[in-house]
Amino acid sequence: FTCPYGTVPEGPTVVACHAGGLVYSGKCRAAECDRYAASELLPADAINDCGAETSHGDACDFNCNYGLSHVGRLVCDMGAWVEEEATRCIPACEVVPGASNFGKAEKFIGYAEGFRASSTGARRLKYNEGAMYRVYCQQPRVPSNVDVISAEEYICTNSSFVRMLTGNDASNSADLSCVDVPCELRQHPQGRYICSLNGRSVNLGETESALLVPMGSVCRLQCPIVGEDPAPGGLEYHCVYTRDASTTDFEYPGGGDLPVMAVAKILRKLPDPETGVASFYDGAEQICQTITCNLPSTLGGAPAAM
């Protein structure tokens, strides 16, 4: 009488001859490992956390002290603990590459198969072996080329985060780049907009219904017909981030982190002719208007004639 691999006999096993044939009696149960015996194979800094389930095929979970990360795997094999992978306590991962870059954010997405979360025992954030993180563009910013790469994924391996190449083309090693979304500016029926960014002219993208203005740009209306000027004069169109689509008098400072709900929008500003300080303008739409000149009066006060 024999039991299948992974099990051992339980109770008496009898083979008897009955009516010209052999009759087998007995039971088989799963082979079990002593959970405490696993400590002999673990590193000195390890914490035995095998748990109650220590039957054949079960793994012994363990953690590490002092902010260290656990590596390796013990498996119960026919009543004895076997190192499927050498068990070690190594320094934990700390900094997710690229996550601190402007416009990016990080998100914990779990642990690789065979690893699980455990406390590192340190105040500063540390990540155990097998921890996986995704670095992505923090809204409202977007990837510069979403067709090529929309996020970066990293896995904690041997005390440092290593980039995982994912997607349709696993050989693609392009770095994630996050950019500001443009503002939509409705095309003017009479004139055209001239835009600049940091004192330099910028080219505008186009959709069927609007111009796409780069974030931070300032635009001004230009009338194409000689003898016409925009009215009101001096009005500027600023591409900024603001609270929502209906806001007309608030903008977030450029170059920093933004609320997720921030939207890119054109805000109109009218500089003061004396101080040059621009204030938000919520008046009538700008139009192209014929320039008119008032003739000077004569010495007698009557209007001059041409």
Side-chain angles (χ1 to χ4, degrees):
F1 177 83
T2 57
C3 291
Y5 188 78
T7 64
V8 293
E10 183 177 37
T13 57
V14 178
V15 181
C17 180
H18 179 73
L22 295 176
V23 177
Y24 298 86
S25 64
K27 295 181 180 179
C28 297
R29 62 173 176 80
E32 296 182 351
C33 291
D34 182 353
R35 58 174 296 190
Y36 300 105
S39 298
E40 299 176 5
L41 297 175
L42 295 176
D45 289 324
I47 303 171
N48 187 330
D49 193 19
C50 280
E53 297 296 328
T54 56
S55 299
H56 174 80
D58 290 334
C60 174
D61 292 322
F62 70 97
N63 296 319
C64 293
N65 286 318
Y66 315 119
L68 300 176
S69 175
H70 61 280
V71 182
R73 183 177 169 87
L74 288 181
V75 178
C76 179
D77 183 26
M78 286 299 296
W81 291 109
V82 176
E83 278 191 321
E84 194 173 79
E85 180 186 348
T87 56
R88 295 177 294 152
C89 287
I90 62 175
C93 294
E94 294 191 37
V95 180
V96 181
S100 60
N101 290 356
F102 177 71
K104 295 182 182 179
E106 63 183 63
K107 179 182 180 182
F108 175 72
I109 58 176
Y111 275 79
E113 185 177 357
F115 296 94
R116 68 181 184 86
S118 64
S119 172
T120 60
R123 292 181 180 179
R124 185 176 179 181
L125 282 179
K126 295 176 182 284
Y127 308 99
N128 285 314
E129 192 78 0
M132 295 184 295
Y133 265 79
R134 178 177 293 121
V135 176
Y136 58 95
C137 293
Q138 189 172 26
Q139 291 180 305
R141 297 181 174 94
V142 296
S144 60
N145 193 342
V146 70
D147 295 330
V148 175
I149 181 171
S150 59
E152 294 174 354
E153 292 187 356
Y154 295 86
I155 183 169
C156 178
T157 304
N158 291 326
S159 304
S160 62
F161 277 104
V162 177
R163 173 91 175 269
M164 296 189 296
L165 298 181
T166 58
N168 296 330
D169 183 7
S171 65
N172 174 31
S173 58
D175 292 329
L176 175 66
S177 174
C178 301
V179 296
D180 292 301
V181 294
C183 298
E184 292 192 357
L185 177 61
R186 189 176 58 186
Q187 299 201 41
H188 197 275
Q190 296 172 290
R192 67 188 186 98
Y193 293 103
I194 304 298
C195 303
S196 62
L197 178 62
N198 298 326
R200 295 186 176 183
S201 298
V202 293
N203 296 321
L204 305 181
E206 236 179 286
T207 66
E208 292 183 0
S209 58
L211 301 171
L212 300 178
V213 180
M215 179 58 60
S217 298
V218 178
C219 302
R220 297 172 180 82
L221 180 63
Q222 184 180 78
C223 296
I225 300 176
V226 176
E228 288 188 344
D229 267 351
L235 194 62
E236 298 175 344
Y237 300 78
H238 292 247
C239 177
V240 299
Y241 282 115
T242 187
R243 292 193 187 98
D244 53 53
S246 62
T247 301
T248 59
D249 59 356
F250 175 84
E251 65 179 284
Y252 289 107
D257 290 333
L258 295 162
V260 173
M261 300 305 293
V263 297
K265 183 183 176 182
I266 292 290
L267 293 186
R268 299 186 299 171
K269 295 183 179 182
L270 190 61
D272 185 283
E274 295 183 3
T275 64
V277 177
S279 58
F280 295 105
Y281 174 81
D282 196 22
E285 292 293 331
Q286 204 173 24
I287 61 172
C288 285
Q289 181 174 282
T290 302
I291 301 172
T292 57
C293 298
N294 294 322
L295 294 173
S297 301
T298 63
L299 292 177
M306 294 290 291

